């Protein structure tokens, strides 16, 4: 390699490392922008047939904000209302703290003042929160800046996304034929993860939530949303909510409802996870469920929350790249063998 070429390659490497250091503090928000841009890109192309790219992208960013802020505000309102109701309903006589203290004393031999202990814990918690106020303020500031960066990147990814993809294709030293194949397979992986992973998690959480409503679990709507999020984690997912719900019904003297919730959740919710997820994933991309599980768990450790989505995509993209690379080498070998 000649000296100018080596120098330029070294500079490219240095600037690539420096650029990575700039992105890493906000990696979660960059990945979120990429995910939202991928989901909204088809709408962007449709709107560009009637509106300018700038107006179309701005409208979709506003739509994304509303779609996030409104459900979040409603969830907060529901939780706050439930908390106020619970606080108003709490009564020392209703809780029967005296009887509980007597039971603890009989079993352990120690007398406990539950009210005093709870008060002490509350004071300690308040002191801890006050000491950590600076840390929490820094975290909140970082989150606000990150979300602003997400919206900024989302706007330009929607507006100039096709130009960016064209630039990448133009400067990638791979024949167009293999680029088409690689981009197509990565697109299939993304679609499989979003539809077969996210959509199935939503359906699974909704199905499990029906069981909570039917058996009278308090705050069933809130816990249904929690299960939709937890269902993104294969195997355990929604069980982290409906399992304790079964225990709650047993402790409150409802063994029949507890048994019904257990059977319903174990069979119906389990079937939705075991059959619907592989069915949808196989339809859009031939990805082994083990790859999905490994990608989700490893992705959370590597990328944080966004690893739930991008972990399986990274592994799927690796498989696709190896497949295309193998085909490329085979063609090169055939060309050399031909006289």
């Amino acid at each position: 390699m000649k000296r100018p070429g080596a120098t330029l390659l070294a500079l490219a490497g240095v600037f690539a490392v420096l650029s990575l250091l700039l992105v890493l503090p906000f990696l979660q928000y960059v990945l979120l922008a990429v995910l939202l841009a991928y989901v909204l890109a088809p709408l962007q192309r449709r709107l560009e047939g009637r509106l300018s790219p700038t107006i179309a992208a701005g409208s979709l960013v506003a739509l994304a904000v509303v779609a996030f802020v409104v459900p979040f505000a409603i969830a907060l309102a529901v939780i706050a209302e439930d908390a106020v109701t619970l606080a108003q309903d709490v009564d020392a006589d209703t809780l029967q703290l005296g009887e509980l203290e007597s039971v603890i004393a009989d079993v352990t031999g120690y007398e406990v003042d539950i009210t005093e202990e709870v008060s002490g814990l509350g004071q300690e918690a308040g002191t801890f929160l006050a000491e950590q106020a600076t840390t929490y303020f820094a975290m909140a500031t970082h989150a606000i800046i990150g979300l602003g960066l997400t919206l900024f990147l989302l706007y330009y990814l929607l507006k100039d996304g096709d130009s960016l993809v064209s630039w990448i294709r133009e400067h990638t030293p791979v024949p167009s034929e293999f680029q088409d194949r690689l981009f197509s397979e990565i697109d299939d992986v993304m679609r499989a993860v979003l539809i077969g992973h996210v959509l199935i998690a939503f359906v699974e959480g909704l199905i499990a939530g029906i069981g909570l409503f039917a058996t009278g679990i308090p705050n069933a709507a809130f816990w249904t949303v929690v299960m939709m999020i937890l269902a993104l984690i294969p195997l355990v997912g929604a069980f982290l909510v409906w399992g304790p719900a079964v225990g709650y019904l047993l402790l409150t003297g409802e063994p029949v409802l507890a048994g019904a919730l257990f059977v319903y959740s174990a069979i119906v919710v389990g079937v939705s996870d075991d059959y619907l997820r592989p069915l949808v994933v196989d339809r859009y991309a031939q990805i082994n469920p083990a790859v999905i599980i490994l990608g989700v768990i490893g992705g959370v450790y590597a990328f944080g929350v966004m690893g739930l989505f991008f972990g399986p995509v990274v592994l799927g993209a690796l498989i696709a790249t190896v497949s295309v690379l193998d085909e490329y080498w085979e063609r090169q070998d055939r060309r050399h063998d031909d006289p």
Side-chain angles (χ1 to χ4, degrees):
M1 182 181 293
K2 296 182 179 181
R3 182 174 297 178
T7 302
L8 289 175
L9 186 60
L11 284 175
V14 170
F15 287 124
V17 172
L18 293 176
S19 299
L20 181 62
L21 293 176
L22 293 175
V23 172
L24 282 177
F26 296 97
L27 181 60
Q28 292 282 325
Y29 303 99
V30 173
L31 293 177
L32 177 58
V34 172
L35 179 66
L36 292 175
Y38 178 82
V39 173
L40 296 174
L43 289 176
Q44 173 73 15
R45 296 188 185 99
R46 290 186 180 183
L47 289 176
E48 285 182 359
R50 302 180 179 180
L51 304 172
S52 69
T54 300
I55 296 177
S59 301
L60 289 178
V61 170
L63 175 63
V65 171
V66 172
F68 173 79
V69 171
V70 172
F72 186 72
I74 293 175
L76 282 181
V78 171
I79 295 172
E81 182 180 356
D82 290 339
V84 171
T85 302
L86 180 62
Q88 292 175 345
D89 292 341
V90 169
D91 188 346
D93 296 333
T94 302
L95 293 176
Q96 299 178 341
L97 295 180
E99 294 183 8
L100 181 57
E101 291 171 355
S102 300
V103 172
I104 295 175
D106 294 338
V107 173
T108 64
Y110 294 96
E111 295 185 358
V112 179
D113 188 336
I114 296 178
T115 303
E116 183 179 349
E117 293 293 334
V118 172
S119 176
L121 290 174
Q123 292 178 356
E124 292 179 5
T127 303
F128 175 78
L129 291 176
E131 293 174 349
Q132 298 296 320
T134 303
T135 302
Y136 294 141
F137 178 78
M139 291 173 58
T141 303
H142 180 80
I144 293 172
I145 295 173
L147 290 174
L149 177 63
T150 296
L151 297 178
F152 183 81
L153 290 177
L154 176 60
Y155 171 79
Y156 281 102
L157 285 173
L158 290 173
K159 178 175 174 289
D160 302 322
D162 291 337
S163 300
L164 175 61
V165 172
S166 298
W167 182 87
I168 293 174
R169 291 173 66 95
E170 180 181 351
H171 291 81
T172 300
V174 176
S176 298
E177 173 186 359
F178 293 98
Q179 287 193 35
D180 294 339
R181 166 89 181 279
L182 181 59
F183 275 87
S184 176
E185 293 204 13
I186 293 177
D187 183 65
D188 289 340
V189 171
M190 284 286 290
R191 196 171 304 174
V193 170
L194 288 176
I195 298 178
H197 187 47
V198 178
L199 180 60
I200 296 303
F202 174 82
V203 173
E204 182 181 342
L206 185 61
I207 293 174
I210 293 174
L212 299 186
F213 279 103
T215 53
I217 297 295
N219 303 323
F222 170 74
W223 292 116
T224 298
V225 175
V226 172
M227 284 191 292
M228 290 178 183
I229 298 173
L230 291 176
L232 292 169
I233 305 174
L235 299 181
V236 289
F239 172 77
L240 296 177
V241 172
W242 69 256
V246 171
Y248 168 82
L249 291 174
L250 286 173
L251 293 176
T252 54
E254 299 289 351
V256 176
L257 291 178
L261 180 60
F262 176 81
V263 172
Y264 171 82
S265 299
I267 296 178
V268 178
V269 178
V271 166
S272 69
D273 184 74
D274 294 338
Y275 290 94
L276 288 180
R277 195 187 301 269
L279 179 65
V280 176
V281 170
D282 289 342
R283 178 180 178 182
Y284 290 95
Q286 298 297 323
I287 304 177
N288 192 288
V291 174
I292 296 290
I293 295 173
L294 178 61
V296 168
I297 297 175
V300 171
Y301 280 93
F303 305 125
V305 176
M306 296 309 299
L308 290 169
F309 309 99
F310 284 95
V313 171
V314 170
L315 292 180
L318 172 62
I319 295 172
T321 303
V322 172
S323 176
V324 173
L325 183 61
D326 181 64
E327 182 180 342
Y328 174 76
W329 280 340
E330 285 184 1
R331 292 197 180 185
Q332 293 299 314
D333 291 339
R334 284 199 297 269
R335 288 179 181 178
H336 289 299
D337 293 338
D338 291 338

